[in-house]
Amino acid sequence: MEVLKIATAGSVDDGKSTLIGRLLYDTQSLTTDKIEAIEKSSKQKGYDYLDFSLATDGLVAEREQGITIDVAHIYFSTAKKSYIIADTPGHVEYTRNMVTGASTSQVSIILIDARKGVIEQTYRHFFINNLLRVKDVIVAINKMDLVDYSEEVFNKIKADFQALNAKSAYKEQNVSYIPLSALTGDNVVETLGKMPWYTGQTILQHLEGLEPKDIYDNGQARFPVQTVIRPKTEEYHDFRGYAGKLYGNNIKVGDAVTVLPSLTESTITNIHFFDKQFDEASVGSSITIELENDINVTRGDMIVKSSELPRIEKDITTTVCWMDSKKLVAGAKYFVQHNTNRVLAKIDSVKNVIATDYSGVTPANQLAINEIGEVTIKLSKAIYFDAYNDNKSNGAFILIDAATNTTAGVGFIK
């Protein structure tokens, strides 16, 4: 069954958790005890409706404040697809969490409160989706029941968002607009008839019609080696395989390949998936491959087709989303984790902070938490990479604080 990965985004109290809870409830994906807990809690709070946000807000602080703080992953299925939803926070101070949730998603649902329209957080969340190259965006104009299901309000918000979209890299056909009420369920799974002027699809119908495009499928095959397989058995005494996950494109037996960084050339002789062998491996597969030559390959190396070599450089220009309370400044040292390769790095310069409302850049020499900016980095040794726009899996990295071992930032190579 196809799996579609979704990220939700929106400002505080736009109804993200309620929308997801409604999706789960109307697709009969909630367990009986969960429904009973929601009914009991809603009654205790004096609501005359079911508070579906309780289906996703798992932290005590989230339930007490009625907000989302952490990234929650929710799973449900229909007859057509399976879904994984990353419910991300709406607060400005949790922007880094939104980056984390959207980084592996194929579609994003950006919620807008119909009473407020397009606001600062709308710009920020759409900017991040554009930065991460999330394939499809659904603009869910929520709480239409609080504006009397007004077509005029919907059209105004849609026009404002289309003006924003014109500044992005998205094509108009990849951005959809759906008016809804997550609280009542109108246009979430079913159409309740309150908005006869809207003749489009519900949220679920639109999701069912999307073609899941693997985030690892970017045109050129990249195989970062995770480990070398050398069984200590008599039967496989001479076996030498290289295990990892395949990104970018398919590979097959007989392909001429190059091992990086040594630039040693060889040919794929066998492809193993668990206990079976295949002539071809599809993108996204976790496999073990054998090469014709008995050459030196270790964890952190990368195997690519000889006709599709990536860039190999020690200096990189990047866009960084900063996630640490300690500011990012020139001269600071971090580890760059790029696929399975970890390299010591020094921040060469922080050039600017990028405005998430598409208004441009501001010259700067540091990045504070949740800021996004252009950063140049010097590496202790060359890495083998693609521009993020050409190959998402081979153009992204994280910055790790060597002292605390925490993830301090995420970067995208230009």
Side-chain angles (χ1 to χ4, degrees):
M1 182 178 285
E2 293 179 331
V3 178
L4 188 67
K5 301 172 185 176
I6 307 164
T8 61
S11 187
V12 178
D13 203 32
D14 278 348
K16 298 181 300 299
S17 299
T18 300
L19 172 62
I20 297 171
R22 171 61 72 176
L23 269 171
L24 297 174
Y25 182 77
D26 286 356
T27 57
Q28 299 179 344
S29 301
L30 290 175
T31 59
T32 301
D33 60 330
K34 190 69 173 180
I35 295 173
E36 290 175 351
I38 291 172
E39 291 174 343
K40 181 179 179 181
S41 178
S42 300
K43 186 176 180 180
Q44 288 175 342
K45 293 180 178 181
Y47 297 157
D48 58 358
Y49 56 87
L50 294 181
D51 182 8
F52 289 116
S53 66
L54 298 172
T56 58
D57 289 339
L59 300 178
V60 172
E62 292 178 325
R63 294 195 298 269
E64 289 177 346
Q65 300 177 52
I67 63 172
T68 300
I69 297 173
D70 199 8
V71 178
H73 287 86
I74 299 100
Y75 304 81
F76 77 101
S77 298
T78 64
K80 292 184 178 180
K81 281 188 180 75
S82 291
Y83 298 93
I84 303 174
I85 303 178
D87 183 21
T88 63
H91 281 72
V92 175
E93 60 265 35
Y94 300 124
T95 298
R96 62 194 186 277
N97 299 50
M98 195 261 168
V99 173
T100 302
S103 61
T104 58
S105 297
Q106 298 145 315
V107 57
S108 179
I109 302 176
I110 298 179
L111 276 85
I112 296 176
D113 188 326
R115 300 168 300 173
K116 302 175 184 177
V118 175
I119 60 174
E120 179 187 356
Q121 275 295 75
T122 311
Y123 286 103
R124 180 175 287 105
H125 292 147
F126 187 57
F127 179 89
I128 291 172
N129 278 289
N130 186 47
L131 176 65
L132 296 174
R133 295 178 61 245
V134 177
K135 179 174 173 282
D136 292 286
V137 172
I138 299 173
V139 181
I141 301 171
N142 190 27
K143 303 191 178 183
M144 290 297 295
D145 54 308
L146 300 182
V147 293
D148 296 325
Y149 301 100
S150 170
E151 181 181 7
E152 182 180 354
V153 170
F154 170 76
N155 287 336
K156 173 64 169 60
I157 296 174
K158 179 178 178 180
D160 289 344
F161 201 99
Q162 286 175 325
L164 173 61
N165 186 33
K167 302 175 184 179
S168 76
Y170 278 103
K171 297 178 181 178
E172 193 61 41
Q173 61 263 33
N174 292 111
V175 181
S176 305
Y177 304 88
I178 301 177
L180 60 94
S181 169
L183 188 64
T184 65
D186 207 354
N187 282 344
V188 178
V189 172
E190 299 177 350
T191 299
L192 303 182
K194 297 293 182 65
M195 292 174 277
W197 45 266
Y198 175 73
T199 58
Q201 296 177 314
T202 66
I203 289 282
L204 183 62
Q205 287 171 341
H206 189 82
L207 293 174
E208 298 276 73
L210 289 177
E211 178 184 353
K213 177 179 170 59
D214 200 297
I215 60 170
Y216 308 119
D217 185 3
N218 293 104
Q220 295 186 332
R222 303 290 184 249
F223 187 72
V225 176
Q226 292 184 6
T227 188
V228 179
I229 306 295
R230 293 297 306 271
K232 303 296 183 181
T233 63
E234 187 64 33
E235 182 180 1
Y236 296 100
H237 185 271
D238 297 320
F239 183 91
R240 186 181 183 89
Y242 311 104
K245 187 169 185 174
L246 179 61
Y247 301 90
N249 212 330
N250 298 355
I251 58 173
K252 61 181 183 297
V253 172
D255 281 343
V257 295
T258 298
V259 179
L260 303 174
S262 66
L263 295 177
T264 307
E265 297 184 347
S266 189
T267 303
I268 297 175
T269 55
N270 290 297
I271 298 173
H272 301 266
F273 179 77
F274 189 49
D275 59 346
K276 296 182 174 58
Q277 291 191 38
F278 296 90
D279 292 330
E280 185 172 6
S282 59
V283 62
S285 301
S286 295
I287 55 174
T288 299
I289 66 175
E290 291 182 84
L291 300 180
E292 185 176 52
N293 305 28
D294 188 12
I295 57 180
N296 183 30
V297 182
T298 63
R299 174 179 169 82
D301 290 354
M302 179 178 288
I303 299 173
V304 302
K305 293 182 182 179
S306 297
S307 59
E308 299 176 351
L309 293 181
R311 293 157 60 187
I312 307 174
E313 298 177 18
K314 292 177 68 174
D315 297 337
I316 55 177
T317 300
T318 72
T319 301
V320 170
C321 177
W322 195 239
M323 300 177 169
D324 199 357
S325 56
K326 182 174 66 177
K327 293 180 179 179
L328 178 67
V329 297
K333 292 183 179 180
Y334 293 90
F335 284 114
V336 164
Q337 182 75 46
H338 176 250
N339 289 316
T340 57
N341 197 9
R342 181 173 291 194
V343 180
L344 185 62
K346 183 176 76 171
I347 305 302
D348 183 47
S349 68
V350 177
K351 293 188 173 183
N352 54 54
V353 173
I354 303 172
T356 55
D357 62 357
Y358 293 93
S359 61
V361 299
T362 303
N365 56 14
Q366 63 183 22
L367 286 184
I369 188 170
N370 290 314
E371 287 187 332
I372 299 171
E374 185 178 352
V375 178
T376 59
I377 302 175
K378 289 185 175 295
L379 306 169
S380 60
K381 64 178 182 179
I383 60 171
Y384 10 96
F385 64 90
D386 300 282
Y388 184 78
N389 285 345
D390 297 330
N391 191 307
K392 292 177 69 172
S393 61
N394 201 38
F397 63 92
I398 61 173
L399 288 166
I400 300 173
D401 189 310
T404 63
N405 208 37
T406 58
T407 299
V410 58
F412 313 95
I413 305 174
K414 295 188 174 182

